[in-house]
Amino acid sequence: MQSSSSSSGSCGGGNDQVASGSKSQDDMISNLPDFVIGHILSFLSTKEAVLTSVLSTRWKYMWTFLTKLDFRDYTNNNFNSFSNFVTRVLFHLNTATIQEFILEIPHYYDPYGYYTNQWISAVLSMRLKKIKVFFFLRGNEPKIPSCPQLVSKNNILSCPLFECHESLEELEFMISSLASCIIKLPSSSFVSFSSLTVLSLAGIITFTSSNEIFQELTLNFPLLREYKAVSCGFSGVKSITIEAPLLELVFILGMEFEQVITRFSASRITNFSYYCDTVSHTIFLDHQNIPSSKIFLVLFDSEDHSVEEISIFIRKLLRFFINAEYLELDLANCWPGFAWVANYLADIPVFRMLGYLKLKRVTSNTLLDFLLKTPCLKTLVLQMVDYDEESQNFAIVPDCFLSTLKVVKFDKYFGGEREFSFSKFVMENTKVLERISFSFHESCSEVEKAKEKLSLVKISFSTVIMEFST
């Protein structure tokens, strides 16, 4: 009996120890410091993190130590509920530093920025490091006045966004098309952002708080590596200098406000993309010897400018990238006027390091101008636009045909005589060609006839691979 009793007591004590150990393990996270729990909760959405307050008394205020705030509303049409939630969270936060603040809402939720200003001002006081704001449009939402009407009203960003200089590392602020907002800069001709590494803006008009028009505005970014601007512009200034010694990527799509000179003081750009109207905007790069880089240029223009004006703009822009290894150029709406002007780019610089060249909507004259200035070209991708029925003779064989050009791709090949003349010129004169391909235009009605005609051309080497696609 004693043995049985002793055995029973021993087993009972063991169960108590197991239960105690299990409880201790289950509560291990709760025993962590508050700031550590706050960091762990930051991997959840903000709404999920706040819901953990119901777990226990210990967890009731753990969400107030969040270091990442993520407020997105794509489905809920109740703005009052959403704004109350955001305001309540920001009011109760108990953290010294916010690693990231994300806000994604329909534009009509806060068209004049009343709530957005308050929310951003609140997080800026907590040494904010990253901010991402995205206002998107829905198909059935009411039309919101764009920036010209907002200048004299409540501005989307009248909060001191650019006064958080020391802590802010990444800034992304995007307004979808058909809407725009305004960012106020301090009333100074020199503004510095000591920690910013990424700046991405869309639909933003930037102007200074001062009533006077600055002749020059300098934006200093000692650590900036990425600069992206979509449909953005500067008001109240005539010249912008962006000082960014570490800048590697530049992406510009559309620019508001004409006659503003933009100058990049940057010597390490490796990827430069420019999709804009020509002539109306002036772009300068202070350093002529920018390292080898990828360049994407898509140029649009109206009939307001002459071919000479446009060609001068293109030549000036190309001179900044003489060390480029990769270049894409799309003349877009410029080519109708260029089709009848010979050698308008004859004096472009020599690209001695260029290995990849993609030219869209170019004439045969423009094409030859480029090939004569690319002695080390290895790959050529082209889309020609002069479909004339008149063939053309090419008197000069580019150096790259004799030693380096290995791959040639014709995009949207139509089968016109000028196209055929140039393809024949390539196949008969390229000494190291390995592959030539033709992707036919969807409107080409005689694909098989064009294939047969191309196949009859005598290629310089029998080992060259010829490919066709539609």
Side-chain angles (χ1 to χ4, degrees):
M1 292 291 294
Q2 291 178 351
S3 174
S4 175
S5 175
S6 173
S7 175
S8 175
S10 175
C11 289
N15 288 334
D16 290 342
Q17 292 175 2
V18 171
S20 176
S22 176
K23 182 177 180 180
S24 176
Q25 291 177 357
D26 289 342
D27 207 30
M28 185 181 297
I29 295 181
S30 295
N31 291 329
L32 293 172
D34 293 349
F35 73 93
V36 175
I37 296 177
H39 177 71
I40 295 173
L41 291 179
S42 295
F43 290 95
L44 303 175
S45 70
T46 303
K47 185 173 292 188
E48 291 172 333
V50 172
L51 288 176
T52 61
S53 62
V54 302
L55 294 178
S56 68
T57 303
R58 168 79 171 111
W59 283 80
K60 188 173 182 179
Y61 298 108
M62 285 297 100
W63 64 268
T64 64
F65 295 94
L66 286 172
T67 57
K68 177 181 177 181
L69 302 173
D70 190 342
F71 301 107
R72 312 183 198 210
D73 190 358
Y74 284 90
T75 59
N76 187 4
N77 292 316
N78 188 341
F79 175 65
N80 288 333
S81 174
F82 177 81
S83 62
N84 289 337
F85 174 72
V86 176
T87 302
R88 183 169 66 91
V89 169
L90 295 180
F91 181 78
H92 287 94
L93 278 182
N94 189 23
T95 182
T97 300
I98 297 295
Q99 296 293 328
E100 186 172 12
F101 174 78
I102 300 174
L103 176 67
E104 296 185 9
I105 56 174
H107 189 222
Y108 73 90
Y109 265 18
D110 192 23
Y112 299 109
Y114 175 76
Y115 292 96
T116 305
N117 281 319
Q118 293 183 351
W119 297 337
I120 293 179
S121 295
V123 293
L124 287 179
S125 65
M126 303 177 191
R127 295 189 55 81
L128 179 66
K129 290 191 175 182
K130 300 179 183 179
I131 180 170
K132 298 179 181 180
V133 178
F134 177 35
F135 282 14
F136 57 89
L137 292 179
R138 287 177 173 171
N140 59 348
E141 70 179 70
K143 185 176 180 180
I144 304 300
S146 58
C147 64
Q149 289 75 32
L150 289 177
V151 171
S152 59
K153 299 183 180 181
N154 293 328
N155 298 307
I156 284 288
L157 285 184
S158 59
C159 58
L161 180 64
F162 288 114
E163 294 178 9
C164 184
H165 302 166
E166 295 183 359
S167 64
L168 199 59
E169 297 176 0
E170 296 184 16
L171 169 59
E172 297 183 29
F173 205 106
M174 293 168 282
I175 310 296
S176 57
S177 60
L178 304 180
S180 58
C181 78
I182 299 168
I183 289 180
K184 281 186 178 181
L185 289 175
S187 55
S188 171
S189 60
F190 182 88
V191 182
S192 181
F193 309 87
S194 60
S195 300
L196 203 64
T197 60
V198 176
L199 177 60
S200 180
L201 304 174
I204 305 297
I205 306 302
T206 307
F207 75 106
T208 62
S209 302
S210 173
N211 293 325
E212 63 178 310
I213 295 179
F214 287 117
Q215 294 295 321
E216 295 184 7
L217 173 64
T218 299
L219 302 179
N220 179 257
F221 304 100
L223 299 181
L224 191 70
R225 282 182 162 78
E226 292 186 17
Y227 173 84
K228 299 179 181 179
V230 178
S231 298
C232 294
F234 292 89
S235 177
V237 292
K238 293 185 177 181
S239 175
I240 306 291
T241 297
I242 297 176
E243 296 181 346
L246 301 182
L247 186 62
E248 298 173 352
L249 184 148
V250 175
F251 181 95
I252 301 173
L253 172 59
M255 295 179 69
E256 303 294 334
F257 296 104
E258 298 185 359
Q259 309 307 325
V260 175
I261 299 173
T262 303
R263 184 186 304 275
F264 288 91
S265 179
S267 60
R268 298 190 180 185
I269 296 176
T270 57
N271 192 310
F272 185 91
S273 301
Y274 182 80
Y275 304 82
C276 292
D277 295 348
T278 61
V279 181
S280 298
H281 310 290
T282 303
I283 300 290
F284 286 107
L285 285 86
D286 279 353
H287 298 271
Q288 292 286 347
N289 297 318
I290 290 177
S292 57
S293 51
K294 289 187 176 182
I295 313 302
F296 305 85
L297 304 176
V298 179
L299 306 176
F300 301 87
D301 205 274
S302 64
E303 298 178 355
D304 297 336
H305 304 287
S306 66
V307 171
E308 288 74 20
E309 289 177 313
I310 299 171
S311 61
I312 289 173
F313 177 89
I314 295 174
R315 291 198 299 269
K316 284 183 177 179
L317 197 57
L318 289 174
R319 286 195 180 100
F320 294 120
F321 304 106
I322 58 175
N323 291 324
E325 294 180 343
Y326 183 109
L327 172 62
E328 288 191 21
L329 175 63
D330 183 355
L331 294 178
N333 296 332
C334 299
W335 72 262
F338 291 159
W340 312 108
V341 180
N343 306 117
Y344 72 94
L345 290 181
D347 60 345
I348 61 174
V350 177
F351 298 89
R352 300 192 181 279
M353 299 180 65
L354 196 67
Y356 183 101
L357 175 62
K358 183 174 183 179
L359 298 173
K360 296 183 65 176
R361 287 172 273 204
V362 293
T363 64
S364 51
N365 287 323
T366 303
L367 185 55
L368 191 58
D369 287 340
F370 268 97
L371 291 175
L372 291 173
K373 299 298 179 70
T374 53
C376 298
L377 190 66
K378 297 178 181 179
T379 300
L380 172 64
V381 181
L382 65 147
Q383 176 192 346
M384 297 179 65
V385 294
D386 45 351
Y387 306 134
D388 297 358
E389 292 305 315
E390 179 184 350
S391 61
Q392 183 174 2
N393 294 320
F394 301 94
I396 305 176
V397 177
D399 289 343
C400 61
F401 277 37
L402 305 177
S403 58
T404 60
L405 189 61
K406 296 182 178 182
V407 178
V408 178
K409 300 178 182 180
F410 286 82
D411 190 24
K412 296 185 178 181
Y413 187 83
F414 202 86
E417 283 301 320
R418 290 284 179 95
E419 285 180 300
F420 175 72
S421 294
F422 186 77
S423 60
K424 184 172 181 288
F425 176 64
V426 170
M427 288 187 281
E428 291 179 343
N429 294 280
T430 309
K431 301 306 181 183
V432 293
L433 188 65
E434 297 178 355
R435 185 183 302 270
I436 185 168
S437 61
F438 299 85
S439 176
F440 287 92
H441 195 286
E442 58 184 10
S443 300
C444 181
S445 58
E446 298 182 336
V447 173
E448 294 304 320
K449 183 178 179 180
K451 287 182 181 180
E452 182 179 359
K453 188 175 181 180
L454 290 166
S455 300
L456 294 175
V457 176
K458 184 180 179 181
I459 304 179
S460 55
F461 286 95
S462 59
T463 56
V464 174
I465 298 174
M466 183 181 294
E467 299 174 324
F468 303 102
S469 62
T470 54

